[in-house]
Amino acid sequence: MARVHGNQETFDRFRRLAAALLDASVQDADASALALHELLTAVAGLDEAPGRDEHTALSGGRALSPVDAARCLLDVPRTRAYIAGLRAAIEDCRAQRPDRPVHVLYAGCGPFASLALPLTLVFGADVVRFTCIDVHDASTESLRRVVTALGLEPYMLGVHQADATALAVPASPPVDILLVEALQRALTHEPQVAITRHLLEQLAPGVRLVPQRVTLRACLADIPAELAAGGPVNRLELGTVFELTADTASHDPRPCVLSLPRAPKQGESLVITTTLAIYADHALGEYKSGLTYPEIVGNTPPLEAGTQLEVIYDTRIPGPAVAAG
Ligand SMILES: C[S@@+](CC[C@H](N)C(=O)[O-])C[C@H]1O[C@@H](n2cnc3c(N)ncnc32)[C@H](O)[C@@H]1O
C-alpha cells in the first residue's frame, strides 16, 4: 500500500504490528500489541501530554485517563474481538449501501482509536470513514498526531474533544455504525450506558451498534475455584439482570427480583458476570478479557435460602445495585 502523506517508516511499523491484531491465527499478538502501544505512545507524544494521567468524573460515569485508555489496546482478546466485529459490521453496511463510504461514529476513541485504525489496512478511505470523539483533550490531540504521522487523514471525518453524553450529532453525513468502547466489567464506573443511550437517541433506527449486546447476569460462584480452573465452575445461575442493546438503551433500566433457592456454599459469593456480543459471531465470553471477569458484589444483604434480591442497573453509579427485595 503506497503512502502519500505521513512517515513511511512509522507507517510500515504500524502496518506490521497492527496486522497481528487483525489476523486471529497469529500467536504472539501480545508482543505485537505491546510494540504497537510503544510506537503509538511515541508518535502521539503521550508521555509528555498535559492531563495524560487524569480521570474525569462525568454524570454518566468516569472517563479513564488518556494513559489508561491507551493501555486498553493491550487487552488483546478484547481488541481483536472488537476489531473483527467492527470489520464485519463495516462489510455488512457496505454490502447494503455501496454508493458511499460507511460512516463509523467512534465514542471513547482514546489516544489511539485502537479499534478503528487497524482497519485502515483492510479498507480504503472510499469504503470507511471515522468520526472520533473523546472527552480528554490529551486523547484527541494524541490521536490527531497519530493520524498525521500515519497519513490516515483521508479516513477521518473529524477528531473531536467532547462529552459524548451531551454531544449533538450532526445529521450529515449519516452515521451507519455507532462504536462505543467506554466500559469495564459489569458496566461499572465508565459511561458506556449513558453514551450509548444519548447517541442512539439521535441516530436513525437502523444504525448498527457495536457492541450489539452487553449482558449482565447474577450467580453464586466460587471465584477462587474459577480462577484456578480458568472458567466457570458449578455455578448457581440466578438470572439476567441487565442487557444493553439498541432496543434497551432507550428505556430506563427496570429492576429485577432474584430469588435464592439456597444459601451460598463455603467459598461462594454473589457475582455479576459480563458477556459481550460484539457483532455477528464475534463475541467475548467469560474470562476471555479483562472486561468479562466476574465482579463480586460487596455489601450484600444476608444471603439465605429464600432471600429475594432486587437488582437494578443504576445509571448514576454507574453499575448494578443490589438490595433486599
Ligand atoms: C476504556 S477507554 C477505551 C479507549 C479506546 N476505545 C481503545 O479501545 O483503545 C474509554 C475511553 O472513553 C473515553 N470517554 C469516557 N467517557 C466519555 C464521554 N462521556 N465522552 C467522550 N469520551 C469518553 C475516555 O476518555 C477513554 O478514552
Side-chain angles (χ1 to χ4, degrees):
M1 190 184 300
R3 291 281 99 186
V4 180
H5 311 287
N7 176 319
Q8 186 65 48
E9 195 184 326
T10 304
F11 179 75
D12 287 344
R13 284 196 66 204
F14 166 74
R15 177 168 54 183
R16 189 168 47 77
L17 297 170
L21 294 175
L22 287 163
D23 181 353
S25 69
V26 172
Q27 298 289 321
D28 66 343
D30 285 356
S32 299
L34 197 57
L36 184 59
H37 176 272
E38 279 171 16
L39 173 72
L40 297 179
T41 298
V43 168
L46 185 59
D47 283 342
E48 283 85 46
R52 63 191 177 279
D53 290 314
E54 285 164 22
H55 302 286
T56 301
L58 301 162
S59 58
R62 186 181 57 166
L64 278 194
S65 75
V67 164
D68 282 350
R71 286 198 192 107
C72 295
L73 164 64
L74 304 175
D75 183 344
V76 170
R78 173 213 79 122
T79 303
R80 278 183 150 170
Y82 261 95
I83 292 171
L86 180 59
R87 178 179 183 164
I90 293 168
E91 283 164 352
D92 280 356
C93 285
R94 184 69 178 167
Q96 196 180 25
R97 195 186 278 271
D99 52 312
R100 60 169 173 80
V102 175
H103 180 197
V104 179
L105 176 59
Y106 184 174
C109 58
F112 304 155
S114 58
L115 309 176
L117 293 199
L119 290 171
T120 61
L121 303 180
V122 177
F123 302 113
D126 57 330
V127 173
V128 66
R129 308 258 171 98
F130 301 96
T131 298
C132 294
I133 309 291
D134 204 284
V135 73
H136 286 127
D137 250 332
S139 284
T140 49
E141 279 302 314
S142 293
L143 180 56
R144 286 191 198 104
R145 281 193 280 272
V146 167
V147 166
T148 304
L150 298 175
L152 300 179
E153 295 94 332
Y155 289 92
M156 287 296 153
L157 289 175
V159 177
H160 303 295
Q161 183 278 322
D163 177 353
T165 66
L167 180 77
V169 183
S172 177
V175 172
D176 301 296
I177 297 172
L178 173 61
L179 168 64
V180 187
E181 212 282 321
L183 76 159
Q184 293 182 23
R185 61 193 190 191
L187 290 169
T188 52
H189 307 301
E190 290 189 66
Q192 179 86 13
V193 176
I195 294 174
T196 304
R197 181 176 196 168
H198 176 74
L199 295 179
L200 271 182
E201 270 170 6
Q202 303 174 64
L203 302 177
V207 73
R208 289 163 210 258
L209 177 64
V210 176
Q212 279 181 315
R213 187 171 59 252
V214 183
T215 305
L216 308 186
R217 293 192 180 85
C219 66
L220 295 182
D222 183 338
I223 296 303
E226 295 199 351
L227 290 172
V233 180
N234 296 330
R235 288 180 172 175
L236 178 65
E237 297 289 344
L238 299 172
T240 298
V241 296
F242 182 64
E243 271 197 331
L244 178 62
T245 66
D247 289 336
T248 65
S250 59
H251 309 298
D252 286 330
R254 293 189 194 96
C256 67
V257 176
L258 307 174
S259 184
L260 252 62
R262 62 163 172 77
K265 293 180 186 163
Q266 179 73 23
E268 280 185 337
S269 321
L270 178 67
V271 304
I272 304 291
T273 66
T274 311
T275 52
L276 277 80
I278 293 177
Y279 189 83
D281 55 353
H282 302 284
L284 273 176
E286 281 200 68
Y287 288 99
K288 297 287 186 239
S289 143
L291 302 180
T292 60
Y293 271 60
E295 174 84 358
I296 297 179
V297 181
N299 300 322
T300 58
L303 301 178
E304 291 153 10
T307 299
Q308 305 261 305
L309 296 172
E310 187 178 278
V311 187
I312 182 158
Y313 185 84
D314 188 335
T315 49
R316 292 161 308 174
I317 301 177
V322 181

